[in-house]
Amino acid sequence: MSSAERGVDAARTVLAIDTATDSVVTGVVELTGETIGSVRVLAERVVTDHRRHAELLTTLIAECLGESGISRDALSAVVVGCGPGPFTGLRVGMATGAAFADALGIPAHGVCSLDALALETTPPAGRPDVLVVTDARRREVYWALYRDGARVRGPEVSAPATVAEELAPVFSTGEVGAVSGSASHLELVGWTETTPQVTVPSARGLVAAAASAIEAGVVPEPLVPLYLRRPDAVEQKARKLGAAR
């Protein structure tokens, strides 16, 4: 049943969570359709502190629920940014989102965090491409390229010089019209034309990325993190075995 058939009174309320970057992002939104214009933010919190993701997240969720006036039982779904992102921070948001959804008996939709950034980025007419770049640490970046709102490349993790080389053709033709993500890392891949429109995933962008699935009543697959590489933490036994080999 479409949103028009359900009517405005059947708007869904959705909890959004993302810990794929150094910022903890959460919010409660109202969803009435399948486009980003159908997403209305009721409350949102963004706190940048990569060392306190686990400590901050549940408190910020409680603040958003209180400010929005939405009880947990009134939530229709949870949307979780699945990265790409660092192992430790990313799993905090995913575990919390999955736990909320399981406890409430509602679906948890996983989305690519870079998609959420792209959906909040508007390129000028005639320059349809959007580039999203975030910090992957280890002197690397996470990145993805979008055209007319659809992801056409990525997400990938690469050295900035590699990304700069691969994107040189689209930079030279002017096809990339807007960017989002980390300003310093966008510069490292060769982009200096404009500043990023959005720096971290927003509650609005996250829910918009899952809007069509939520509206269609799709039963989501289990949340799968987009690490794109092995975690930094390695069990001591595995380290010893690797060294012996």
Side-chain angles (χ1 to χ4, degrees), residues 33-51:
E34 298 182 5
T35 66
I36 194 165
S38 302
V39 181
R40 183 169 71 94
V41 178
L42 304 179
E44 184 175 30
R45 295 289 186 276
V46 180
V47 177
T48 302
D49 188 339
H50 72 279
R51 297 182 183 276

Side-chain angles (χ1 to χ4, degrees), residues 109-134:
H109 295 266
V111 300
C112 175
S113 301
L114 302 185
D115 290 358
L117 283 159
L119 283 168
E120 291 273 46
T121 309
T122 306
R127 302 181 65 184
D129 291 3
V130 168
L131 174 65
V132 178
V133 177
T134 61

Side-chain angles (χ1 to χ4, degrees), residues 9-64:
D9 291 340
R12 306 176 192 272
T13 49
V14 182
L15 173 67
I17 296 171
D18 189 276
T19 55
T21 69
D22 284 347
S23 296
V24 178
V25 179
T26 189
V28 176
V29 310
E30 182 180 76
L31 179 65
T32 57
E34 298 182 5
T35 66
I36 194 165
S38 302
V39 181
R40 183 169 71 94
V41 178
L42 304 179
E44 184 175 30
R45 295 289 186 276
V46 180
V47 177
T48 302
D49 188 339
H50 72 279
R51 297 182 183 276
R52 300 175 61 215
H53 280 40
E55 179 182 345
L56 291 168
L57 183 54
T58 53
T59 298
L60 297 179
I61 290 173
E63 289 181 4
C64 286

